[in-house]
Amino acid sequence: MPTETFEFQVEARQLLQLMIHSVYSNKDVFLRELVSNASDALDKLRLAALRDDTLDADTSDLHVEIEIDQDARTLTVRDNGIGMSYDEVGRLIGTIANSGTAAFLEELKEAQDAAGAEKLIGQFGVGFYSGFMVADEMTLVTRRAGESSGTRWTSRGEGTYTLESADDAPQGTAVTLHLKPADPENQLHDYTSVWTVKEIVKRYSDFITWPIRLVPGAGDGEGTSDPETLNSMKALWARARDEVSDDEYHELYKHVSHDWRDPLETIRLQAEGTFEYQALLFLPAHAPHDLFTRDFRRGLQLYVKRVLIMDDCEALLPPYLRFVKGVVDAHDLSLNVSREILQQDRHIRLIQRRLTKKVLSSVKEMKANDADKYGTFWREFGPVLKEGLLGDPDNRDALLAVASFASTHAPDEATTLQQYVERMKDGQDDIYYMTGESRQSIENSPHMEAFRARGVEVLLLTDPVDEVWVDAVGEVEGKRLRSVAKGEIDLDVRDGEEADGEREKQAEAYAGLLGWMKEQLGEDVKDVRLSTRLTVSPACVVSDSHDLTPALENMYRAMGQDVPTAKRILELNPGHLLVQGLNQAYKDREDHAELVETAVLLHGLALLAEGGQPTEPARFVKLVAERLERTL
Ligand code: ADP
């Protein structure tokens, strides 16, 4: 096959430019990335060989090799792992498929300055391409295990790469960097120095479970003759707790998560007895961009006695903990257990239960001891964790104990449900909440008026999942969770009899108007009644206690379910001049057409006030314009 030249995908080109003119100060990490890819390739080969015993591959001495050639100024990272086919090289190396990287580029466009770009690289990482921070040319020679011919890929990182076949390629992948000229000011980062390379491997890749060998190369300066293994290969979870530094845990996190940032929390767990296992879990510091997408890759790495047997093992944690990264090493599982069997396995279910409890108790501790850390955690992952309130009744109390919510109690301080209950007013029986798109839209909604006037606290719930879990949970500590926008609300704290008397009088005075309006608005409303929740606005619409809210209806429709639109109730504020005037006009039997218009306008205003739309926007606008005209 002749050499062919290809253009990088646009996104890849942008990234490469960034690498070549690198703004990222910690260039050493390119080696961590290449070793991490090599280690993954060895894991993949072993798994493939385990699944398919007809695979024609050599798995006898799986390892990573690093070779330095000082004369040629090259550094090669070689593995004898799974390798890539010709097509795979084009697909995996020529393009950026990773959705996180796409998001990264989006943000990069906005961060014009170097400091912004550096911060972003630190967040996302760019894997293989990071080689171009230190190299002016990269060559990758690879042969997929089981295939007979290999592929050579080369690029100077400037827009194009070439592909050709390489018949003599050994199994696995070798990446050779032709290093940029050494910086005389910065000897520490000369990657042709054996000492430098050893330090970097020790620092970032010590825990890699495959041997990483430094092989003697032409002019490597030290005249080494035998390959030297640079890493201890000790699994961190198998080492004594006090022997492992935070930095070492963090490097393992970066390897398993492909995140370039440190984790927020490291959790260790050890189970002894009949079914022995160790777990090392990490809570990331940032929610990934694709956390709520269908193809988010969740799961922990599952090992059996130090041997990786599954990469994204979903069965180890419930879906609402899908952001947790880490490793579980179980001692008594079969090496070739399948995903399907794992889902059913009793021991795996026990591990899942135990890990879930451990994660939740760690969050609880974090909440008690480190408010900032907990704040970060809840901001990033609260919306996912709350899914557990629906799906995992067994841990509902533990979840509620670590949950916190925005509230009218304080503008930028979250509250727990327990704190809310402690602050409840005398005579208040329920926990009030309102759902909506943002704190601001909720606070401006007419439904909040009486609560504000009477100083009754309301939880402000703005995550999509909030619409659902409140119904599923129903009550907390014996207090009902009640939406301020649903059903009838009675906040009247005055002496019962006096209030009742006044209400009766009002009901009598408005009975005619309410019945008539209901008739006029017809299909648009379920009922028209007097409101106890308004102090300033003339009217609002509310949902009946057991009906779906409009937001929920939309959610179900977005999921493809066919739900009818629930009619809503129009509430009028008898304390408002407009409503009083309308009642008088009704009683005086003023012009009928005019009265109907006012009813329609009032209904439209109520819908607008909660962020909705009048039933017939064009008619509404026309009526308002006509009335305004008359005031001129
Ligand atoms: P990431 O490792 O984050 O997926 P990279 O850009 O580093 O991103 O690599 C892209 C893909 O190329 C990898 O996911 C893997 O499929 C493939 N790849 C990279 N290095 C190797 C290697 N040494 N052996 C086999 N495949 C590799």
Side-chain angles (χ1 to χ4, degrees):
M1 213 185 294
T3 307
E4 288 192 79
T5 303
F6 299 88
E7 298 221 332
F8 280 110
Q9 179 203 25
V10 182
E11 287 85 355
R13 210 152 54 218
Q14 289 173 308
L15 256 191
L16 285 164
Q17 278 306 308
L18 203 76
M19 289 299 114
I20 292 169
H21 308 286
S22 177
V23 288
Y24 194 59
S25 49
N26 187 8
K27 297 188 171 57
D28 293 356
V29 295
F30 83 89
L31 192 53
R32 168 186 82 194
E33 295 301 301
L34 295 182
V35 168
S36 180
N37 282 349
S39 163
D40 286 346
L42 297 169
D43 286 332
K44 282 180 193 159
L45 176 61
R46 187 173 45 197
L47 286 176
L50 215 58
R51 302 265 141 74
D52 173 9
D53 49 20
T54 64
L55 182 69
D56 179 19
D58 180 7
T59 57
S60 57
D61 176 31
L62 299 179
H63 62 272
V64 183
E65 265 174 22
I66 300 178
E67 190 176 335
I68 297 170
D69 184 333
Q70 290 190 330
D71 299 336
R73 280 198 68 71
T74 60
L75 175 86
T76 300
V77 177
R78 192 178 296 125
D79 66 71
N80 54 351
I82 190 81
M84 286 175 269
S85 66
Y86 185 91
D87 289 346
E88 282 173 325
V89 177
R91 186 157 46 83
L92 297 169
I93 302 294
T95 62
I96 294 175
N98 189 315
S99 59
T101 316
F104 161 73
L105 285 164
E106 257 324 290
E107 291 189 29
L108 193 64
K109 276 185 208 141
E110 281 153 35
Q112 296 297 351
D113 59 341
E118 159 135 18
K119 200 164 135 253
L120 283 169
I121 296 176
Q123 285 177 23
F124 287 89
V126 285
F128 176 79
Y129 289 134
S130 61
F132 282 108
M133 294 196 292
V134 299
D136 48 29
E137 184 174 65
M138 284 176 80
T139 306
L140 174 146
V141 178
T142 184
R143 178 163 65 82
R144 183 152 178 114
E147 291 188 3
S148 56
S149 90
T151 308
R152 177 192 309 275
W153 174 100
T154 44
S155 177
R156 302 183 63 82
E158 288 162 341
T160 60
Y161 62 90
T162 61
L163 281 181
E164 63 192 307
S165 48
D167 294 332
D168 53 350
Q171 167 192 308
T173 304
V175 179
T176 300
L177 310 184
H178 184 264
L179 298 164
K180 292 179 185 172
D183 176 359
E185 309 260 296
N186 202 347
Q187 290 296 331
L188 276 182
H189 299 279
D190 177 9
Y191 304 107
T192 60
S193 147
V194 167
W195 183 84
T196 302
V197 167
K198 280 185 184 175
E199 285 297 305
I200 299 176
V201 170
K202 197 82 201 145
R203 170 125 181 246
Y204 293 111
S205 312
D206 187 64
F207 60 85
I208 296 282
T209 46
W210 304 103
I212 304 168
R213 298 179 190 146
L214 186 66
V215 294
D220 68 3
E222 291 204 351
T224 33
S225 50
D226 291 321
E228 179 188 355
T229 300
L230 303 182
N231 57 329
S232 74
M233 291 189 282
K234 274 198 191 155
L236 294 190
W237 56 93
R239 285 167 57 188
R241 210 170 279 239
D242 49 10
E243 234 184 55
V244 186
S245 71
D246 284 351
D247 280 348
E248 287 179 282
Y249 283 131
H250 295 178
E251 289 308 324
L252 176 67
Y253 165 74
K254 289 172 191 172
H255 175 66
V256 299
S257 69
H258 294 243
D259 184 356
W260 277 36
R261 294 163 292 191
D262 288 341
L264 191 67
E265 186 80 348
T266 303
I267 302 169
R268 269 188 78 145
L269 190 119
Q270 189 125 7
E272 267 138 38
T274 47
F275 193 77
E276 222 174 282
Y277 63 88
Q278 287 126 356
L280 193 49
L281 306 181
F282 301 98
L283 307 182
H286 303 268
H289 283 79
D290 51 354
L291 190 53
F292 289 97
T293 61
R294 197 183 294 250
D295 34 56
F296 177 72
R297 268 199 5 186
R298 72 186 185 93
L300 302 174
Q301 290 193 335
L302 178 61
Y303 285 71
V304 173
K305 295 201 200 78
R306 315 291 132 74
V307 176
L308 178 71
I309 65 157
M310 201 173 287
D311 210 9
D312 308 300
C313 181
E314 306 94 349
L316 291 168
L317 284 170
Y320 67 89
L321 294 180
R322 60 185 175 274
F323 56 87
V324 177
K325 300 287 178 197
V327 169
V328 171
D329 191 342
H331 293 213
D332 303 303
L333 277 177
S334 143
L335 278 178
N336 49 12
V337 65
S338 73
R339 272 177 207 277
E340 293 66 37
I341 290 181
L342 274 184
Q343 294 286 359
Q344 310 294 329
D345 189 275
R346 194 170 62 87
H347 291 301
I348 294 289
R349 279 216 294 271
L350 285 175
I351 298 183
Q352 189 201 92
R353 211 167 303 159
R354 178 90 198 278
L355 296 187
T356 303
K357 294 220 181 315
K358 181 74 184 179
V359 169
L360 294 179
S361 67
S362 301
V363 175
K364 193 170 174 186
E365 251 168 62
M366 201 196 277
K367 184 158 174 277
N369 302 324
D370 190 337
D372 280 353
K373 216 178 196 187
Y374 165 77
T376 303
F377 174 81
W378 191 257
R379 186 185 67 233
E380 297 292 319
F381 299 109
V384 199
L385 230 61
K386 282 186 280 188
E387 290 174 12
L389 292 169
L390 286 165
D392 187 3
D394 288 345
N395 286 304
R396 190 171 273 176
D397 289 342
L399 280 163
L400 286 172
V402 299
S404 57
F405 308 93
S407 148
T408 52
H409 171 67
D412 26 48
E413 201 181 300
T415 180
T416 62
L417 290 172
Q418 199 190 349
Q419 288 166 333
Y420 180 105
V421 171
E422 282 162 14
R423 280 191 299 265
M424 276 169 60
K425 288 193 172 308
D426 282 346
Q428 182 184 344
D429 296 326
D430 301 327
I431 297 173
Y432 292 107
Y433 69 87
M434 173 142 181
T435 55
E437 290 203 344
S438 66
R439 179 175 185 120
Q440 201 195 2
S441 73
I442 297 177
E443 286 193 317
N444 290 337
S445 136
H447 303 101
M448 298 286 289
E449 287 173 6
F451 291 85
R452 191 174 306 120
R454 302 224 160 83
V456 175
E457 182 174 351
V458 178
L459 301 177
L460 308 168
L461 308 183
T462 52
D463 293 320
V465 63
D466 289 330
E467 294 276 352
V468 208
W469 73 259
V470 280
D471 281 338
V473 172
E475 62 171 60
V476 177
E477 296 192 22
K479 316 283 181 209
R480 256 199 320 155
L481 284 160
R482 287 196 61 193
S483 166
V484 306
K486 278 182 113 177
E488 296 202 56
I489 293 287
D490 186 3
L491 289 181
D492 213 329
V493 285
R494 284 175 304 170
D495 170 11
E497 258 175 55
E498 190 191 325
D500 286 350
E502 192 179 309
R503 240 176 264 160
E504 242 166 68
K505 256 193 257 157
Q506 266 181 354
E508 247 169 65
Y510 280 87
L513 176 74
L514 298 179
W516 173 82
M517 266 181 88
K518 181 168 183 225
E519 224 169 86
Q520 298 307 315
L521 294 172
E523 283 305 297
D524 293 341
V525 294
K526 187 169 190 172
D527 197 7
V528 182
R529 67 185 180 209
L530 291 181
S531 185
T532 53
R533 64 185 105 211
L534 297 174
T535 59
V536 186
S537 300
C540 69
V541 280
V542 301
S543 296
D544 215 351
S545 309
H546 300 291
D547 284 344
L548 293 182
T549 59
L552 254 188
E553 282 176 9
N554 287 337
M555 238 161 78
Y556 283 121
R557 282 189 199 117
M559 295 188 299
Q561 291 190 30
D562 194 18
V563 286
T565 306
K567 284 201 247 172
R568 305 180 64 214
I569 298 162
L570 176 65
E571 288 195 352
L572 304 184
N573 175 6
H576 198 283
L577 283 177
L578 179 52
V579 175
Q580 291 168 357
L582 179 64
N583 197 30
Q584 201 53 52
Y586 169 78
K587 285 186 174 157
D588 298 345
R589 300 187 193 286
E590 280 182 12
D591 179 59
H592 182 75
E594 190 109 310
L595 276 182
V596 174
E597 278 176 22
T598 310
V600 168
L601 282 170
L602 209 49
H603 183 229
L605 288 176
L607 288 164
L608 276 175
E610 63 161 15
Q613 264 203 8
T615 324
E616 295 175 71
R619 181 177 180 210
F620 181 84
V621 170
K622 185 165 157 278
L623 291 178
V624 173
E626 280 168 12
R627 298 244 164 149
L628 286 176
E629 247 172 60
R630 271 187 253 159
T631 66
L632 294 175

